[in-house]
Amino acid sequence: MIIFQDLEEGAEVGASISEEKTLSVIDLIVNGGTGSIVIIMVLFVLLFVALYIYFERIFAIKAASKIDKNFMNQIRDHVMNGKLDAAKILCAQTDSPVARLTEKGVSRIGKPLDDINTAIENAGTLEVYKLEKNVSVLATVAGAAPMIGFLGTVIGMILAFHEMASSGGQAEMGSLASGIYTAMTTTVAGLVVGIIAYIGYNHLVNRTDKVVHKMEANAVEFLDLLNEPI
């Protein structure tokens, strides 16, 4: 009986110790003081902005990459048959960067090939700008979020050492350690936001490059069409 009683007491002590060591993320944020709370809120706003831009751009790029495989074949038939108005209508009905570039080229048919090429390139520049809209904000968030997190940690360290200096070096190590590791939660939050924004930025750049490559391929195909003998 004594052995079982000792085991029960040990289990209760272990449970109480584990409960004391358990600390939720909310507790870490709240116990960090006003500065930590403000910085965490700023990082949450940055995270929301990064996620909004990522999903808004990913849907826009996905829509821009969709185009009928027979689109250029239909354009070829219209141009070869001299039905330029039909080709323009087809381009207007197709909402994609490739169709808008093609429409720009069709509207310049009859002019020197260099002028047509220049018009397509200028239109392509505008389309790329539309695809990359707000993507640079993700790069800014990816770089700024970790620095903001480090700022919160530095502030927490300063406050901890200020408390030590104010107490004449008699401050308890427990209170100092608690303040320091709580302040370091801002660094963790900053790194998490920065990593998410960085991954999102690189993914968007990769998807944008694929759309740009498709635009260039179709532009070359259209120019080759104009060089074909009628």
Side-chain angles (χ1 to χ4, degrees):
M1 295 295 295
I2 297 177
I3 295 176
F4 287 113
Q5 184 176 1
D6 292 339
L7 291 175
E8 291 177 357
E9 292 178 354
E12 292 177 357
V13 172
S16 62
I17 293 175
S18 62
E19 290 178 358
E20 291 178 357
K21 290 184 178 179
T22 302
L23 192 62
S24 66
V25 176
I26 296 178
D27 292 334
L28 288 174
I29 296 173
V30 174
N31 294 335
T34 304
S36 176
I37 295 175
V38 170
I39 290 176
I40 292 293
M41 291 300 103
V42 171
L43 291 173
F44 273 127
V45 171
L46 292 179
L47 177 61
F48 174 79
V49 171
L51 291 177
Y52 173 80
I53 292 175
Y54 172 77
F55 286 108
E56 189 272 333
R57 284 292 86 199
I58 201 68
F59 289 129
I61 294 172
K62 184 178 181 179
S65 63
K66 290 183 178 180
I67 189 170
D68 187 2
K69 295 181 179 179
N70 295 322
F71 174 77
M72 289 306 298
N73 292 330
Q74 293 175 343
I75 292 295
R76 178 188 298 274
D77 293 339
H78 290 322
V79 172
M80 296 298 290
N81 294 325
K83 300 179 180 179
L84 300 183
D85 291 337
K88 292 179 182 179
I89 293 174
L90 177 61
C91 292
Q93 293 176 345
T94 306
D95 185 17
S96 70
V98 172
R100 286 188 285 272
L101 294 185
T102 305
E103 182 179 11
K104 185 67 65 175
V106 171
S107 64
R108 296 294 193 277
I109 289 179
K111 296 183 179 181
L113 194 60
D114 290 339
D115 293 344
I116 299 176
N117 188 24
T118 301
I120 293 177
E121 288 180 354
N122 293 335
T125 302
L126 295 176
E127 293 297 331
V128 172
Y129 176 78
K130 293 178 183 179
L131 291 174
E132 294 178 345
K133 179 183 177 182
N134 294 329
V135 175
S136 60
V137 177
L138 281 180
T140 302
V141 173
M147 290 190 290
I148 294 175
F150 290 141
L151 175 63
T153 299
V154 172
I155 292 175
M157 296 286 288
I158 292 174
L159 294 176
F161 284 107
H162 175 71
E163 181 180 350
M164 180 183 295
S166 300
S167 61
Q170 300 299 321
E172 296 181 359
M173 292 302 298
S175 61
L176 292 178
S178 176
I180 292 173
Y181 74 69
T182 303
M184 291 185 69
T185 56
T186 59
T187 298
V188 175
L191 290 174
V192 170
V193 175
I195 291 171
I196 293 174
Y198 182 75
I199 294 174
Y201 170 77
N202 282 281
H203 185 235
L204 290 179
V205 169
N206 185 42
R207 293 292 298 271
T208 302
D209 289 341
K210 291 182 179 179
V211 177
V212 172
H213 176 72
K214 184 180 295 186
M215 291 166 52
E216 292 175 347
N218 282 272
V220 171
E221 184 177 354
F222 178 76
L223 293 175
D224 290 340
L225 168 64
L226 299 181
N227 286 324
E228 290 182 0
I230 297 177

